[in-house]
Amino acid sequence: MSDSLVEIYTDGACKGNPGPGGWGALLVYNGVERELWGGEAETTNNRMELTAAIRALATLNRPCQVRLITDSQYVMQGINDWMPNWKKRGWLTANKQPVKNAELWQQLDEQVNRHQVNWEWVRGHNGHAGNERADALANRGVVQARRQPIS
């Protein structure tokens, strides 16, 4: 486990829900920044929020200490409150329904298990510099997604 802390700011965006969406992540390590973004032609905001966190953590090529900052209540509640019970129930909700976006939650769980992640929530669109950068990257992903054909 690396001694140094990697800060990751993530965000997702969707124009229409569902509709063209984008995800963005800003990684900061020892003062060096790396921007990541992408998009999908037909998706949801929640899927893009999850994808941002998955892609950012997957980019780290060795186990790291991570501070992951998101403005998504969905991601925060899922990772902190819902996921342990979903896993116990075989990825079913308390009502015995399949968990929405289960494949993405499973990918996120896999990535989180590679690292030591501390999760932090910030209010979106509130002037937080890292969150604003992640939002801009997610919107760049939306622009990219709008150029993709819907499969």
Side-chain angles (χ1 to χ4, degrees), residues 76-103:
M76 289 298 291
Q77 284 190 289
I79 204 78
N80 291 318
D81 301 333
W82 305 330
M83 192 186 294
N85 288 323
W86 288 341
K87 289 166 72 172
K88 286 181 201 165
R89 291 189 295 259
W91 295 96
L92 296 176
T93 66
N95 297 330
K96 306 289 187 240
Q97 298 301 308
V99 170
K100 287 184 180 169
N101 304 314
E103 78 286 357

Side-chain angles (χ1 to χ4, degrees), residues 21-46:
W23 59 269
L26 172 65
L27 289 75
V28 182
Y29 176 74
N30 284 344
V32 177
E33 296 181 349
R34 181 168 179 197
E35 296 179 333
L36 305 172
W37 69 90
E40 294 179 18
E42 187 71 12
T43 190
T44 66
N45 191 66
N46 285 342

Side-chain angles (χ1 to χ4, degrees), residues 8-65:
I8 299 175
Y9 301 88
T10 64
D11 202 11
C14 209
K15 304 305 177 194
N17 203 14
W23 59 269
L26 172 65
L27 289 75
V28 182
Y29 176 74
N30 284 344
V32 177
E33 296 181 349
R34 181 168 179 197
E35 296 179 333
L36 305 172
W37 69 90
E40 294 179 18
E42 187 71 12
T43 190
T44 66
N45 191 66
N46 285 342
R47 290 184 67 81
M48 293 295 90
E49 294 282 2
L50 287 166
T51 299
I54 293 163
R55 296 289 184 89
L57 291 168
T59 298
L60 304 174
N61 51 19
R62 66 177 183 273
C64 295
Q65 185 177 346

